[in-house]
Amino acid sequence: MRNFTRGLKQSWPYRSRLILSLIAAVFASALWSLNLSAIYPVLQILSTDQNLQDWVDKEIGRYQAVASDPARHAKIADMRAKLAEMENQPERLDRENHSRRQLSKDLARREDELADANSRVYWHRWLKDKVVRFLPTNRFQTFVWIMIAVIVGVAVKGFFEFWQESLVGGVVCRTLFDLRNRFFRSAIHQDTRQLLDSGTPELMARMTNDLEQFGGGMKILYGKMIVEPLKAVGCITAACLISWQLTLTFIVFVVPAAIVLGRVSRIMKKASRKVLERMSDLYKILRETFDGIRVVKAFTMEPAERRRFRMANDEYYRRSLRVIRIDAFTGPIMETLGIAAVGFALLTGAYLVMEKQTQITLFGVSVTMCDGPLGFEALLQLYVFLAATADPIRRLSSVYTKIQSGAVAADRVFLMLDKQPSIRPNADGPMVPRHAKSIEFRNVCFSYVPGQERGTLDQITLTVKAGETIAIVGPNGCGKSTLLGLLPRFFDPDYGVVLVDGVNVRTGNLRSLRKQIGLVSQDTVLFDDTILANIAYGRPGATREEIEAAAKQAFAHEFIATKPAGYDEQVGELGSSLSGGQKQRLALARAILRDPRILILDEFTSQIDAESEAKIHQALKEFVKGRTTFLITHRFSTLELADRIVVMEAGRIVAVGTHQELLAGCGTYQRLHEAQSQPEGLRLKAA
């Protein structure tokens, strides 16, 4: 429950609303008990020939007779005198000490009876002066007024309940709003490796389903966990005014109910955690299937995906059903215990009423259960109050299980919130100056799973002068993209350092570094916005003229002009309304507009036709001048842009040089060149 409590602390800024909701809950609970107390006068009207004025006068007279009974006062005075005499005596025999204790108990009981009679006289007189004297003497008319008062009371109670739930709902929604923002801020600042480990479906599940589960637990806590106990307390207080002893016999049954709740809550917490984990699995399958829908359809794998989803959905169904059964089980158990408690209290009270007794004897011990004989009306009113107490307690059973579900969700949410990114922004670190000297990779080693796999990069050492264009080539999986991912600090090397103009990027100010970098990746990412906004993504303050100039330089302006809305055309989710080549040209325009000092082009023309590629190469020849540019490519036609070519294999740099130098002295480069130089038909035949 620690994380659930941490989540509740997020609602502290809205404590004024919570205080108002508590006030509304108190009024609603008081009116709940007050409305139930109307049973007593109704029974008095229906079960006797007296109106309420006659009844209250009779009650005042009866209790006044008890309070002013001379014999009772004389007996009390005599007992006080005897007790004083005993107290003044020296040590007495044990038998006489026992008599003294018994006399003290009898005196206390008689004094309590006298005090109770005086108290009842006072309250009946108050009731007569403040309420009864305003009621009509006609019994039916009095009954009508009581019913009207009950209806008005219920309506007013409903207003306070509505007010309370609205305030609580507002606090919960605002708290979840803050937590979602905080969760997103925490997630987006985690480093790339952490995000890859968590996975998008898991993040989505925790931000949506888990936060909603936590919000449900919070709403239950601030709502029913406040209102229902207040209702129970109000009813118990009213029942104690009739007979606190009988009420106590009812409360005794709360102990086994608490034990049952404790046991059920532990089971519920485990079951709820498994349900949330299965929900994350469903998110994962949905995302994989619909993101790769072309592959699914091309390989006719719809039946397999349906089976995979059905299996995960079936697992989620079974886990959810277990939670439902646990929740459903607690209701009948709590209701049974509640009815048993009410029944036991009612049986005891019925005995006192029918036998006109004030005591019961259990195992040879006499226990006083009420100060005076109970009437039928008082017993029935007591039963109503106890039954009304059992209902909130029964509701609290399901409330508690829902809070446990919220606690599990809070654990999952705060597990992500507490993650600290290993890639620190270093806001107080040295600023990386505007790049003008060199970039150096010095003895760099890197592994995606340190200690569990062979290093992706092994002892990489490379120095690049400012303004130089470097092409990196090599077989798939040799570490080309990983190496350049170290430059903007998507990852940090396990060993070695990356230096930009002599500043270690691990310790330098991260923002000042990334502001100098433009990136065009092989997996083009566009956002569900306009073409204009996507190009300006890296430079939000750019003018429309600057955006159009960048688009023309990337040879994107021509196809943009054919769109119905031009630059204001929506690209759709992940650029779904554009072809692969169009998306790459927009990504290139975005990098050009940023005007970076360091440009990273990772297979930036992989989906562009040969004619467009030639034009882009011509434009880039001018654009890369004065910028340090890194090219990752499998197309040797792109190498004409490079000043030097770096050949990588198995995570190592095997050669660095010009095209002619590498053809002459690097076997790996020769094989790559030969594969690219073969006619298409021969390559297919060789494959």
Side-chain angles (χ1 to χ4, degrees), residues 620-639:
L620 282 176
K621 283 182 180 179
E622 296 298 323
F623 183 72
V624 299
K625 288 180 179 179
R627 309 173 200 277
T628 304
T629 305
F630 294 90
L631 302 171
I632 296 177
T633 182
H634 286 91
R635 295 188 180 186
F636 274 67
S637 59
T638 308
L639 299 181

Side-chain angles (χ1 to χ4, degrees), residues 114-140:
L114 188 61
D116 178 69
N118 284 317
S119 176
R120 291 181 182 272
V121 168
Y122 170 80
W123 285 111
H124 280 85
R125 283 178 175 171
W126 181 90
L127 186 65
K128 178 180 179 180
D129 293 338
K130 304 298 182 182
V131 180
V132 175
R133 71 188 183 94
F134 295 107
L135 295 175
T137 56
N138 181 274
R139 293 167 60 218
F140 180 74

Side-chain angles (χ1 to χ4, degrees), residues 517-533:
I517 297 176
L519 172 66
V520 181
S521 63
Q522 182 177 6
D523 298 324
T524 307
V525 176
L526 297 179
F527 300 93
D528 190 6
D529 206 334
T530 63
I531 291 175
L532 188 79

Side-chain angles (χ1 to χ4, degrees), residues 440-645:
E440 182 179 358
F441 298 88
R442 185 183 297 171
N443 299 321
V444 169
C445 297
F446 176 82
S447 174
Y448 283 100
V449 186
Q452 298 184 23
E453 67 172 14
R454 184 175 177 275
T456 306
L457 300 177
D458 185 15
Q459 296 292 324
I460 297 290
T461 297
L462 177 67
T463 300
V464 180
K465 296 178 182 179
E468 193 175 10
T469 299
I470 300 295
I472 302 178
V473 299
N476 287 332
C478 67
K480 303 184 295 294
S481 297
T482 302
L483 176 63
L484 295 187
L486 299 176
L487 187 54
R489 288 193 72 201
F490 295 150
F491 316 100
D492 275 337
D494 300 330
Y495 304 99
V497 294
V498 179
L499 304 171
V500 175
D501 290 356
V503 177
N504 186 346
V505 298
R506 190 193 294 267
T507 58
N509 182 283
L510 183 59
R511 193 172 183 84
S512 67
L513 169 68
R514 288 180 177 171
K515 274 185 168 295
Q516 301 187 54
I517 297 176
L519 172 66
V520 181
S521 63
Q522 182 177 6
D523 298 324
T524 307
V525 176
L526 297 179
F527 300 93
D528 190 6
D529 206 334
T530 63
I531 291 175
L532 188 79
N534 271 284
I535 296 176
Y537 188 76
R539 190 178 159 195
T543 64
R544 193 179 187 94
E545 290 75 17
E546 291 172 328
I547 293 171
E548 291 184 5
K552 289 175 181 177
Q553 199 167 355
F555 290 91
H557 180 76
E558 293 178 1
F559 84 80
I560 295 173
T562 64
K563 297 292 182 182
Y567 281 85
D568 296 318
E569 181 83 6
Q570 293 284 331
V571 302
E573 185 177 357
L574 297 177
S576 58
S577 66
L578 304 175
S579 68
Q582 290 172 339
K583 288 191 287 186
Q584 279 196 326
R585 278 180 274 179
L586 288 186
L588 182 58
R590 180 165 60 197
I592 291 172
L593 180 65
R594 189 171 174 84
D595 191 23
R597 295 298 303 161
I598 303 169
L599 182 62
I600 300 174
L601 303 174
D602 185 354
E603 294 289 354
F604 69 104
T605 59
S606 61
Q607 300 184 55
I608 296 176
D609 59 85
E611 182 181 356
S612 296
E613 182 180 2
K615 293 179 180 179
I616 289 173
H617 284 179
Q618 189 63 35
L620 282 176
K621 283 182 180 179
E622 296 298 323
F623 183 72
V624 299
K625 288 180 179 179
R627 309 173 200 277
T628 304
T629 305
F630 294 90
L631 302 171
I632 296 177
T633 182
H634 286 91
R635 295 188 180 186
F636 274 67
S637 59
T638 308
L639 299 181
E640 65 179 10
L641 298 172
D643 298 315
R644 285 190 298 161
I645 302 171

Side-chain angles (χ1 to χ4, degrees), residues 11 66 69 108 132 169 184 463 493 631 684:
S11 60
V66 174
D69 183 12
V132 175
F184 186 78
T463 300
L631 302 171
L684 290 174

